[in-house]
Amino acid sequence: MRALCWHGKYDVRVDTVPDPVIQEPTDAIIKITSTAICGSDLHLYDGYMVEMEKGDVLGHEPMGIVVEVGSAVTKLKKGDRVVVPFVIACGQCFFCTKQLFACCDTTNPDAAKACKLMGHAPAGLFGYSHLLGGYAGGQAEYLRVPHADVGPIKIESDLPDEKVLFLSDIFPTGWMAAENADIEPGDTVAVWGCGPVAQMCIQSCWMLGAGRVIAIDRVPERLAMAATAGRAETINFDKEDVSEQLTTMTQGRGPDRCIDAVGCEAHETGGVDAVLDKVKATLMLATDRAHALRQAIFNCRKGGTVSVPGVYVGMIDKLPFGSVVNKGLTIKSGQTHVQRYSQSLLEKIESGQIDPSFVITHRLPLEEAPAAYKTFRDKEDGCIKVVLKP
Ligand SMILES: NC(=O)c1ccc[n+]([C@@H]2O[C@H](COP(=O)([O-])OP(=O)(O)OC[C@H]3O[C@@H](n4cnc5c(N)ncnc54)[C@H](O)[C@@H]3O)[C@@H](O)[C@H]2O)c1
Ligand SMILES: [Zn+2]
Ligand SMILES: [Zn+2]
């Protein structure tokens, strides 16, 4: 089959690789019909994620048709149409029974390596390095799906792929980020980033009762989408001082809830910390550029919550932890426990409360994926979200 493979920093290619096969009785094989590129894929493309190997198949936002099931699979059959969550979870371990699916204790064969870096091993993820399981990803013609009775979301209506595809990742991720922010009715929520995750998060903030949403980015079309589709007030961090603006907009109190939907590749806004981050990352002295997280903590009102869906990989320095302690902040984060939200968010799409396809700007054949990565990374051509068609 054809699949998008990682070959090194800034080097991804569509190669011919062996078709996946059933390895465990609980597996299914899916023929992919639509598959998206995520901001998390950029961390691999830009060389931020460790333990990548040449030839690794990327992609973790796929959907398609079941073409084969293992002997122990009971909930899926050939011909079913499914969206596949990016988190691989067994459904039975201590963590899965607590609905902490992204913490599943049994699906990460690289657990020992991950423990060394993080203390404990998170779940395996599709297409996300040999720290998180080494599973082949879904930017491909076919995908092997382990624990097929636990993850895949069956789509029984005739909703088009584009409306349901983002149940794989960014819709539940935006939702969990808003839920983690502990929004109380009428709260002011500031969201760093206006990428696809942030756009889903802004929608979710309203659904969870926010009174005001302020979105921060510097890419004009992303800010415009946050303002129109997201009904958010916006701050352009290239043109305005974020802290000053937030202070003025909240009469000095600060936003009640701050959400970092940027992650480890924050761009500098001129702050000394951002310049140092860039130098350190270039010299391999630090792993993450955490400017957005620092700003979120610094600006959050006393007793507020900082929610962090943005992905960080390793070490952050100059984190204003004194601000966390002395302002009494709560910080919540995590890879999304996608399976926890699948049914309720599918119902929101089916009932017309939200149509997540509004973020899609580019629809391309899989063969054009390498160019699409670059366009998405460089935010060229108005690119906000790419859907690939194998
Ligand atoms: N927790 C999870 O399970 C999960 C799932 C999916 C994605 N993510 C993460 O969420 C983050 C966002 O994903 P995405 O797909 O929207 O990515 P993206 O790269 O398209 O969007 C990031 C946005 O942040 C903006 N930005 C950069 N520096 C900034 C700054 N200093 N202040 C404000 N905005 C800034 C960029 O201009 C860009 O628009 C990534 O880190 C991704 O890895 C996490
Ligand atoms: Zn993703
Ligand atoms: Zn589990």
Side-chain angles (χ1 to χ4, degrees), residues 333-351:
S333 186
Q335 297 280 6
T336 306
H337 306 298
V338 182
Q339 286 84 339
R340 188 200 289 177
Y341 303 99
S342 299
Q343 209 47 46
S344 60
L345 297 187
L346 172 59
E347 281 162 22
K348 288 197 190 324
I349 298 171
E350 283 175 340
S351 66

Side-chain angles (χ1 to χ4, degrees), residues 227-303:
T228 51
R231 294 174 287 126
E233 297 161 66
T234 57
I235 300 175
N236 182 329
F237 71 78
D238 258 356
K239 297 189 176 149
E240 297 160 287
D241 184 286
V242 174
S243 297
E244 250 175 53
Q245 284 298 320
L246 288 173
T247 304
T248 310
M249 292 165 96
T250 59
Q251 287 80 43
R253 188 193 280 171
D256 303 293
R257 318 288 160 193
C258 290
I259 300 178
D260 168 6
V262 177
C264 64
E265 296 188 64
H267 294 289
E268 56 170 299
T269 47
V272 176
D273 67 310
V275 178
L276 273 174
D277 274 352
K278 201 166 184 183
V279 173
K280 284 197 164 185
T282 311
L283 297 176
M284 313 277 270
L285 293 173
T287 49
D288 299 53
R289 302 190 326 232
H291 188 67
L293 179 57
R294 292 190 196 103
Q295 259 185 0
I297 291 172
F298 194 78
N299 287 288
C300 191
R301 75 134 156 90
K302 291 180 280 184

Side-chain angles (χ1 to χ4, degrees), residues 31 120 129 197 215 236 250 258 260 286 305:
K31 182 179 183 358
H120 299 91
S129 88
V197 166
N236 182 329
T250 59
C258 290
D260 168 6
T305 309

Side-chain angles (χ1 to χ4, degrees), residues 17-351:
V17 303
D19 286 358
V21 293
I22 300 277
Q23 293 176 19
E24 300 290 336
T26 44
D27 288 354
I29 305 290
I30 314 285
K31 182 179 183 358
I32 304 296
T33 52
S34 296
T35 183
I37 306 179
C38 178
S40 298
D41 292 322
L42 296 180
H43 307 323
L44 312 176
Y45 184 69
D46 292 339
Y48 272 74
M49 185 72 199
V50 292
E51 300 287 345
M52 291 296 294
E53 290 174 15
K54 275 185 198 298
D56 284 348
V57 179
L58 303 190
H60 58 264
E61 301 189 355
M63 69 177 292
I65 308 289
V66 176
V67 291
E68 204 184 336
V69 291
S71 56
V73 175
T74 60
K75 294 189 185 156
L76 293 183
K77 58 179 191 318
K78 216 170 144 175
D80 283 345
R81 186 167 168 243
V82 291
V83 178
V84 182
F86 76 93
V87 169
I88 302 170
C90 74
Q92 287 174 350
C93 70
F94 173 85
F95 295 96
C96 285
T97 53
K98 289 186 176 301
Q99 297 217 312
L100 298 168
F101 296 102
C103 303
C104 176
D105 233 358
T106 70
T107 54
N108 187 348
D110 303 318
K113 264 187 281 179
C115 281
K116 272 196 186 148
L117 189 72
M118 305 176 198
H120 299 91
L125 307 182
F126 286 105
Y128 221 74
S129 88
H130 297 265
L131 197 62
L132 299 173
Y135 292 95
Q139 286 160 4
E141 289 181 294
Y142 293 91
L143 176 69
R144 173 191 160 231
V145 180
H147 298 289
D149 274 343
V150 183
I153 309 154
K154 232 196 271 188
I155 306 297
E156 280 159 318
S157 61
D158 56 3
L159 285 171
D161 278 19
E162 292 188 355
K163 282 198 179 186
V164 290
L165 176 62
F166 300 138
L167 287 168
S168 57
D169 180 351
I170 60 169
F171 183 21
T173 294
W175 182 270
M176 188 170 106
E179 192 178 81
N180 274 348
D182 304 328
I183 298 168
E184 291 174 8
D187 272 354
T188 297
V189 187
V191 179
W192 273 256
C194 290
V197 166
Q199 300 290 345
M200 295 297 140
C201 184
I202 292 168
Q203 301 288 332
S204 305
C205 287
W206 291 121
M207 290 192 263
L208 288 167
R212 210 175 158 191
V213 179
I214 303 169
I216 304 152
D217 204 305
R218 66 171 175 188
V219 183
E221 59 275 14
R222 293 179 176 221
L223 286 163
M225 184 180 272
T228 51
R231 294 174 287 126
E233 297 161 66
T234 57
I235 300 175
N236 182 329
F237 71 78
D238 258 356
K239 297 189 176 149
E240 297 160 287
D241 184 286
V242 174
S243 297
E244 250 175 53
Q245 284 298 320
L246 288 173
T247 304
T248 310
M249 292 165 96
T250 59
Q251 287 80 43
R253 188 193 280 171
D256 303 293
R257 318 288 160 193
C258 290
I259 300 178
D260 168 6
V262 177
C264 64
E265 296 188 64
H267 294 289
E268 56 170 299
T269 47
V272 176
D273 67 310
V275 178
L276 273 174
D277 274 352
K278 201 166 184 183
V279 173
K280 284 197 164 185
T282 311
L283 297 176
M284 313 277 270
L285 293 173
T287 49
D288 299 53
R289 302 190 326 232
H291 188 67
L293 179 57
R294 292 190 196 103
Q295 259 185 0
I297 291 172
F298 194 78
N299 287 288
C300 191
R301 75 134 156 90
K302 291 180 280 184
T305 309
V306 176
S307 161
V308 189
V311 162
Y312 291 87
V313 181
M315 304 294 173
I316 298 176
D317 57 15
K318 303 177 295 303
L319 197 71
F321 216 79
S323 171
V324 174
V325 174
N326 292 293
K327 294 201 294 180
L329 302 183
T330 299
I331 300 187
K332 292 193 190 174
S333 186
Q335 297 280 6
T336 306
H337 306 298
V338 182
Q339 286 84 339
R340 188 200 289 177
Y341 303 99
S342 299
Q343 209 47 46
S344 60
L345 297 187
L346 172 59
E347 281 162 22
K348 288 197 190 324
I349 298 171
E350 283 175 340
S351 66

